[in-house]
Amino acid sequence: MAIKLPIYMDHHATTPVDPRVLEAMLPYFTEKFGNAASRNHSFGWVAEEAVENARAQIARLINATPKEIIFTSGATESNNLAIKGAAEMYREKGNHIITQVTEHKAVLDTCKRLEKYGYQVTYLPVERDGRINPDDLRRAITPKTILISIMYANNEIGVIQPIEEIGRIAKEHGVLFHCDGVQAVGKIPVDVQKEGIDLLSLSAHKLYGPKGVGALYVRRRNPRVQLAAIIDGGGHERGMRSGTLNVPGIVGLGKACEICMNEMAAEGERLRRLRDRLKAGIEARLDEVYVNGSMVHRLPNNLNMSFAYVEGESLLMGINDVAVSSGSACTSATLEPSYVLKALGVGEDLAHTSIRFGLGRFNTEEEVDYVVERVVETVNRLRELSPLYELAKEGVDLSKMQWKTD
Amino acid sequence: MAYSEKVIDHYRNPRNVGSLPKDDPNVGTGLVGAPECGDVMKLQVRVNPVTRVIEEAKFKTFGCGSAIASSSLATEWVKGKTVEEALQIKNTEIVRELNLPPVKIHCSVLAEDAIKAAIGDWKRKSGLAEAAPASAPAVAPAQE
């Protein structure tokens, strides 16, 4: 079968809408256009029924109850609502929040803003494999701690945190546990009961649903979590998130969750095989490639590799019919290499050479083989162009060289 | 990010890739940048000691497409010029030729530095400038 180019292998950034999801959404743009808050006519009832159905579909995926699902515009909003909402609501109990250094900016920048308002934030380090040490978490908790916010799986390296243990520690100390589940929900089993998660953020467009819609799970029992709203208005979503509901988006999110639930086991296994094929194919033909982060505690669809002596953006340019992303500074707005890789202790030189592959539902074995081919060929070509590769082959220790930097 | 056609052309078909024997007395080597910064350029020139014309230039670059293009272009431009003429090449001319966006201007600066470093190395070897520190290898980073 001929391969269709370009190939999309950047599913941590976003995913295409599954055609089954789109089909479920379409009627809610046109004939079923009602406002779910309209209580007095059938247009409203139809919309409300669809929203409640979606709530149940999402709840089933994470082992919650439908009433615990609050709809938002996406995971950035969910993270903001969880952290700022809990910070304000529990201000009298304390002002200390614990998070960790490889969180998404939606969590880190929210915490930074709270620091300006007088909150104390502890940023736990991660170990070489990308995971926090639960003992560090235990030690960081004080009588003033009101919230722990730690992601399920990282968006760059796919590394999965010890969530169940974090949930247990939070419970032992009576501290709320918020988890950014964006990369994990729908990809691997997530169970808010078993894992002791009190607040869980998720996003539709990361699991083959539409952009612009997400949800926050807010625990209602044991304990009953309360949040101060950050958007005020008509009191929708139990007063936690005002604003007319995005009914088609919500229907799409619900349908996407249902599909993930039904297909997760088979799809996870298939993606793991593809990912391992990609890794093995590259490693068999290139020396000095390094996987960033744990291979054991990792999403099945993620591979993050550094290709020594080859700068990431130039590698992306060489494989321009394959959509992946790089931790290189040149590809970031800040001109800094990935803070996630830095936190793992990956040297800045290797951080500049990293590529993130994110496999997804519609990738095939043929595509993986094509990507291996292109990566190997481009890395070899760029290494021939690399003065660092030449020096290394001459036996020069690059770390001991004195570089001219301005 | 969209690259200019000229950057893509130099990236796909880099001119003058390779290395000259760095111990050759007529070869000057410049190695600028740092791996932690994501850019390292090595530019070498072979100078005719009588005419002071750069007869050959080679480069190798670790860096983004714009860095590769800037150094590739630099080797094209220095070839056939006298060292004095080559030292007149300004990074802004590279920016203009390659249509580099503001975030890539540092690539052109590095290419200008590489030209100056390579010629500086040749001058030292030829006794036309102060000697390099004895311990420094031929590819040592050039002085400011």
Side-chain angles (χ1 to χ4, degrees):
Chain A
M1 196 184 77
I3 295 174
K4 191 168 158 279
L5 297 174
I7 294 169
Y8 188 76
M9 220 172 258
D10 198 17
H11 291 83
H12 301 294
T14 192
T15 58
V17 172
D18 188 298
R20 294 168 286 182
V21 170
L22 178 64
E23 198 186 346
M25 290 170 68
L26 286 175
Y28 294 92
F29 287 103
T30 50
E31 70 263 34
K32 299 179 180 177
F33 62 86
N35 185 330
S38 297
R39 288 288 159 80
N40 309 315
H41 52 65
S42 64
F43 294 88
W45 303 332
V46 167
E48 191 192 10
E49 194 189 337
V51 167
E52 293 316 311
N53 182 45
R55 233 186 267 285
Q57 288 167 317
I58 298 159
R60 267 198 295 279
L61 180 63
I62 59 172
N63 194 21
T65 61
K67 282 186 177 166
E68 295 174 310
I69 305 300
I70 303 293
F71 290 111
T72 66
S73 63
T76 292
E77 188 191 331
S78 297
N79 286 334
N80 271 267
L81 174 57
I83 298 169
K84 289 176 181 164
E88 185 182 334
M89 184 58 76
Y90 298 95
R91 184 67 180 86
E92 291 193 350
K93 182 173 176 266
N95 69 339
H96 181 228
I97 295 167
I98 301 171
T99 184
Q100 59 91 23
V101 289
T102 68
E103 289 295 312
H104 191 272
K105 291 285 181 190
V107 168
L108 292 176
D109 288 354
T110 300
C111 288
K112 287 211 185 85
R113 183 175 296 275
L114 288 175
E115 284 183 284
K116 285 191 199 145
Y117 297 149
Y119 290 85
Q120 309 281 321
V121 181
T122 300
Y123 301 89
L124 299 175
V126 292
E127 318 236 300
R128 184 88 213 173
D129 66 355
R131 303 178 96 210
I132 66 153
N133 181 339
D135 289 333
D136 288 344
L137 174 60
R138 272 195 198 89
R139 276 191 292 271
I141 295 173
T142 75
K144 293 263 184 205
T145 308
I146 49 176
L147 183 70
I148 294 166
S149 180
I150 294 190
M151 68 194 344
Y152 211 109
N154 183 270
N155 47 300
E156 288 188 30
I157 52 178
V159 167
I160 299 168
Q161 295 291 347
I163 294 300
E164 205 170 336
E165 196 165 355
I166 295 166
R168 203 177 317 123
I169 294 167
K171 186 134 269 183
E172 276 167 26
H173 292 83
V175 177
L176 294 180
F177 175 26
H178 166 247
C179 180
D180 175 356
V182 166
Q183 298 292 340
V185 172
K187 316 292 169 60
I188 55 174
V190 172
D191 183 328
V192 294
Q193 299 307 338
K194 184 166 143 244
E195 289 151 358
I197 297 169
D198 298 311
L199 295 154
L200 179 77
S201 304
L202 61 101
S203 174
H205 78 100
K206 307 284 194 192
L207 39 83
Y208 308 94
K211 292 167 184 64
V213 59
L216 179 66
Y217 156 78
V218 183
R219 180 177 286 280
R220 267 166 67 93
R221 290 185 56 197
N222 192 27
R224 182 185 180 88
V225 179
Q226 291 179 289
L227 297 178
I230 55 177
I231 295 178
D232 296 306
H236 308 75
E237 299 300 279
R238 295 163 51 209
M240 286 189 238
R241 205 284 190 176
S242 289
T244 295
L245 291 177
N246 169 7
V247 178
I250 287 166
V251 168
L253 171 56
K255 183 68 185 174
C257 286
E258 183 189 273
I259 294 170
C260 285
M261 178 140 183
N262 294 337
E263 302 182 356
M264 185 189 299
E267 182 166 308
E269 209 27 60
R270 192 184 78 87
L271 291 176
R272 185 185 306 279
R273 272 206 314 278
L274 288 183
R275 190 268 314 273
D276 291 347
R277 185 183 181 93
L278 178 65
K279 177 171 175 285
I282 290 170
E283 285 177 338
R285 291 170 58 191
L286 291 174
D287 60 350
E288 298 206 59
V289 296
Y290 307 99
V291 172
N292 297 309
S294 169
M295 269 317 284
V296 181
H297 304 284
R298 196 184 196 100
L299 293 174
N301 65 328
N302 174 280
L303 183 64
N304 187 308
M305 269 185 156
S306 286
F307 297 84
Y309 319 121
V310 175
E311 196 275 333
E313 188 188 330
S314 68
L315 178 48
L316 293 192
M317 209 171 153
I319 52 171
N320 59 353
D321 50 8
V322 179
V324 292
S325 66
S326 168
S328 145
C330 285
T331 60
S332 77
T334 57
L335 290 182
E336 287 291 321
S338 155
Y339 67 93
V340 171
L341 297 184
K342 239 197 255 184
L344 263 60
V346 174
E348 289 206 14
D349 50 340
L350 277 178
H352 282 287
T353 71
S354 73
I355 300 288
R356 174 185 74 178
F357 301 91
L359 289 146
R361 184 171 288 168
F362 305 105
N363 286 133
T364 64
E365 205 171 278
E366 289 76 21
E367 287 178 340
V368 166
D369 292 347
Y370 180 84
V371 171
V372 169
E373 227 23 74
R374 291 305 308 273
V375 167
V376 168
E377 157 195 310
T378 307
V379 168
N380 280 331
R381 185 172 91 77
L382 291 172
R383 280 183 175 172
E384 283 309 307
L385 218 67
S386 171
L388 303 180
Y389 190 63
E390 181 180 65
L391 287 167
K393 291 289 138 180
E394 285 169 8
V396 176
D397 183 347
L398 297 175
S399 66
K400 296 221 165 65
M401 275 192 70
Q402 198 196 336
W403 299 98
K404 170 180 175 282
T405 51
D406 300 315
Chain B
M1 196 183 317
Y3 304 96
S4 73
E5 273 180 34
K6 282 179 179 160
V7 168
I8 292 170
D9 179 43
H10 277 280
Y11 171 82
R12 292 216 182 116
N13 311 294
R15 330 299 197 244
N16 309 309
V17 175
S19 299
L20 298 172
K22 58 192 174 212
D23 297 328
D24 184 323
N26 296 326
V27 169
T29 300
L31 185 69
V32 296
E36 308 85 66
C37 304
D39 295 296
V40 177
M41 287 182 190
K42 185 186 79 166
L43 194 146
Q44 293 180 298
V45 291
R46 185 198 297 280
V47 183
N48 182 317
V50 180
T51 61
R52 297 167 70 93
V53 167
I54 296 170
E55 295 181 332
E56 207 178 353
K58 295 278 184 199
F59 87 97
K60 284 199 174 191
T61 288
F62 164 84
C64 65
S66 303
I68 290 170
S70 296
S71 37
S72 169
L73 179 66
T75 59
E76 272 195 319
W77 278 1
V78 299
K79 267 211 303 199
K81 285 194 168 70
T82 64
V83 294
E84 286 72 23
E85 287 165 348
L87 286 170
Q88 298 304 311
I89 295 171
K90 294 275 174 299
N91 82 291
T92 47
E93 300 168 72
I94 296 172
V95 171
R96 207 171 314 125
E97 174 68 15
L98 296 175
N99 285 321
L100 296 181
V103 305
K104 296 297 185 188
I105 287 174
H106 70 276
C107 299
S108 68
V109 174
L110 209 57
E112 184 188 320
D113 289 350
I115 296 172
K116 294 201 157 70
I119 291 175
D121 183 52
W122 173 78
K123 281 188 174 171
R124 272 191 301 280
K125 279 174 153 183
S126 313
L128 300 168
E130 79 277 20
S135 60
V139 292
Q143 62 185 25
E144 277 299 323

